[in-house]
Amino acid sequence: MKRKWPVIGVVLIIIIAIIGGYAYHERTVIKNRSLVSQTHTNKHTLSIAQIKQNLTPTLSTTHIDATKSLRSYYKSQLENLTVGTVNGQAIVNPYKTSPLSGLILVKTKTATKVTMQVVGDTKATTITKHYKKYQQNHSVGVLGLYASRTNQVQLTFTTKSGTKTSATYDMTTAAVPADVGTNTLKKSVPSKMALGKGNAKLTFAISSQGITYGLDAQGKVRWYSTKETSHVFKRLKNNRLLIVTKVDDNSHKYNALQVTDFYGHVYKQYDFKGIFPTHSDHTKLAENTVIHHDAIEMPNGDFLLTVDDGSADYVEDTMIQIDRQTGKIKKVIDLKRILPVSSYTKYEGTHRSDDKIDWFHQNSMYYDQKNGELIISGRNQDMIFAINYKTLSLNWILAVNQKLPKKYQKFLLKPTTKNYKFNAGQHAVKLIHTGKINGNQVELEFYDNNVVVTRGNQKASKTYSTGDIVKIDRVNRTVTKTWSYGKSLGKTNFTNIVGSSYAIGNDNTLINFGYADSGKRSEFVEVNRKTNQVVFDVDRTNFSTGDWSYRAQRMTLFP
């Protein structure tokens, strides 16, 4: 009798496993059916509930757990160190994905604060960080190492009484990956560049699909991540980074939204499935990229993402706001519900290999907190427009008055000057000088690719690309161009796709001509807006096909 109980137990376990497996299979079948037989509000738009079902992410802890484990290990190492700077431990790439970062563990006899300095080739490329906290156990973060050399990192320890001692640590790094390409410095005037405190601001080449990296004032790589990214690489208010990367190394699509930092710590990850019906056969499912071009942090800390809605017909025309803590979708903005029906039902401007309709191709957005407006850029409509974020009602449209129904024309901004050059195929919208302009006016910067897709001046199209700034009167609905750079460069720097133009301080703007020479070259140009003098210029070549630089951003390694 005693022998029967183990046998019965095994049988029960097998039965439970079979039932559980069957239940899981049934749930998967039901979910797949709901993806294939999607609920529509009308012929062209999915219901909000269906979009949420298509897109809701799951929270992943795999990389977070790995970060915690490493952090715990280094804490233990520090606790076990012998007091004295000569006993310090220098670690390169401590969190495994940031090869030009480091960590120095050291104990001092008395409480001290630390100044960290990565010795550069020049004064302008020496990176300095002051840590203000007095303590005896030091875990000193190092950023801005050179690749393929033994770096000299100097630590200066200062006691509360002002006594200083110093120590130098060697940190040896490997060569940068070939996928970074060749970065050729054409011009550099460091004294006129916006390099920030301690020369810690680098020019970051944001990857379309590959390796994102940062250059110093001499065009040398001083940071990169082995974690491949796509389009999104943003600094958050807490000085962490928001990136779009792959769920794991074996993934083909970039379907993970991750909160990380320059060292490679992972704090949060939201995984998206991206399993949508195909256009050619709605009964078949295929993996798609969900977050395609942009992601921004909202004032309450939530994330607003540009996404596909999961339909079989349309792409890149939807946004979702997700809860930062849970990943739950709190708001859906489907642009098909805002813009003219004819703009997507009669669109013929571009064609995709999967035959889905990319009628809008949203590539950037900016939330104007002061006015409660969301400013949106759509390449394939040659249009920038603003909506009330709460009500989703239109406020203004910056576009040529072509192919727009009459009821939309009242929202068009009117130029205050003759021969105003309207944007065409533009990217990278952002407000500047937000604290200096009254509520009725805003200053908007963007990159004008100058490629007409739906509306615009066909004669001027594809002859040059520019970084532009315009002043918009929101009440009177007028627009005035106040600055533009790039026309004189002509077709040499025309970019059919991608690009950015951002004010970065010192009255300078950093422009990324990301798809120059038909995608064989990306050029990063820092120009002073008062003099139109170039103070920094780098050509990037010899990179992998498709990995042209989507944006160029001047960002500081240290807060």
Side-chain angles (χ1 to χ4, degrees), residues 325-445:
Q325 299 305 319
T326 66
K328 180 181 179 181
I329 297 176
K330 297 167 68 173
K331 190 181 186 75
V332 175
I333 304 174
D334 184 349
L335 296 178
K336 293 187 292 297
R337 298 168 182 259
I338 298 173
L339 295 178
V341 174
S342 59
S343 61
Y344 51 89
T345 59
K346 297 182 179 180
Y347 176 74
E348 296 181 347
T350 58
H351 299 279
R352 288 167 53 105
S353 59
D354 63 3
D355 291 327
K356 290 189 177 184
I357 302 170
D358 188 14
W359 66 277
F360 189 73
H361 194 90
Q362 184 182 355
N363 52 37
S364 61
M365 56 191 169
Y366 179 87
Y367 181 69
D368 176 5
Q369 184 176 1
K370 185 175 182 179
N371 295 306
E373 286 185 340
L374 183 67
I375 300 172
I376 300 163
S377 167
R379 176 188 187 270
N380 289 348
Q381 290 296 314
D382 308 293
M383 179 185 292
I384 302 169
F385 67 93
I387 59 173
N388 180 295
Y389 190 73
K390 186 176 182 179
T391 66
L392 305 187
S393 58
L394 268 170
N395 286 352
W396 52 261
I397 299 173
L398 180 57
V400 175
N401 188 6
Q402 296 174 2
K403 301 181 182 179
L404 277 174
K406 188 174 182 179
K407 72 174 184 178
Y408 287 88
Q409 293 177 15
K410 65 181 180 181
F411 297 106
L412 289 168
L413 299 177
K414 297 178 177 61
T416 59
T417 57
K418 293 182 178 180
N419 302 316
Y420 178 88
K421 166 64 178 68
F422 279 95
N423 42 286
Q426 75 293 317
H427 285 73
V429 293
K430 186 181 179 184
L431 293 186
I432 60 173
H433 302 147
T434 53
K436 299 179 181 179
I437 305 296
N438 66 51
N440 294 334
Q441 293 185 331
V442 293
E443 278 194 273
L444 178 72
E445 63 181 0

Side-chain angles (χ1 to χ4, degrees), residues 29 60 101 108 124 138 157 175 189-190 197 241 250 263 288 292 346-347 356 387 471 499:
V29 169
S60 171
S101 71
T108 52
H138 303 275
F157 302 88
V189 187
K197 187 177 181 180
L241 298 173
N250 298 319
Y263 297 97
N288 299 261
H292 50 82
K346 297 182 179 180
Y347 176 74
K356 290 189 177 184
I387 59 173
K471 184 174 289 186

Side-chain angles (χ1 to χ4, degrees), residues 16-36:
I16 291 170
I18 292 172
I19 293 172
Y22 179 76
Y24 175 79
H25 173 73
E26 283 297 297
R27 287 196 300 271
T28 302
V29 169
I30 291 170
K31 184 175 182 180
N32 287 348
R33 283 176 183 167
S34 69
L35 292 174
V36 170

Side-chain angles (χ1 to χ4, degrees), residues 10 43 52 66 68 70 150 153 179 235-236 259 270 338 363 386 417 424 436 458 500 503 548:
V10 171
K43 181 180 178 181
K52 288 182 176 181
K68 289 179 179 178
L70 286 167
T150 297
V153 180
D179 287 345
R235 180 181 287 279
L236 300 174
V259 178
Y270 314 81
I338 298 173
N363 52 37
T417 57
K436 299 179 181 179
Q458 290 286 359
S500 61
W548 40 79

Side-chain angles (χ1 to χ4, degrees), residues 204 206 269 313 348 386 511 528:
F204 282 86
I206 312 304
Q269 182 166 316
D313 299 317
E348 296 181 347
I511 304 176
N528 183 270

Side-chain angles (χ1 to χ4, degrees), residues 106-146:
V106 61
K107 281 184 175 181
T108 52
K109 188 174 182 179
T110 58
T112 61
K113 62 180 181 179
V114 179
T115 295
M116 186 281 303
Q117 190 171 78
V118 179
V119 180
D121 292 339
T122 66
K123 183 179 179 180
T125 56
T126 294
I127 295 173
T128 304
K129 168 64 177 175
H130 300 282
Y131 291 96
K132 297 179 180 180
K133 186 177 180 180
Y134 288 92
Q135 53 192 8
Q136 290 176 269
N137 290 5
H138 303 275
S139 179
V140 182
V142 178
L143 294 170
L145 298 173
Y146 286 94

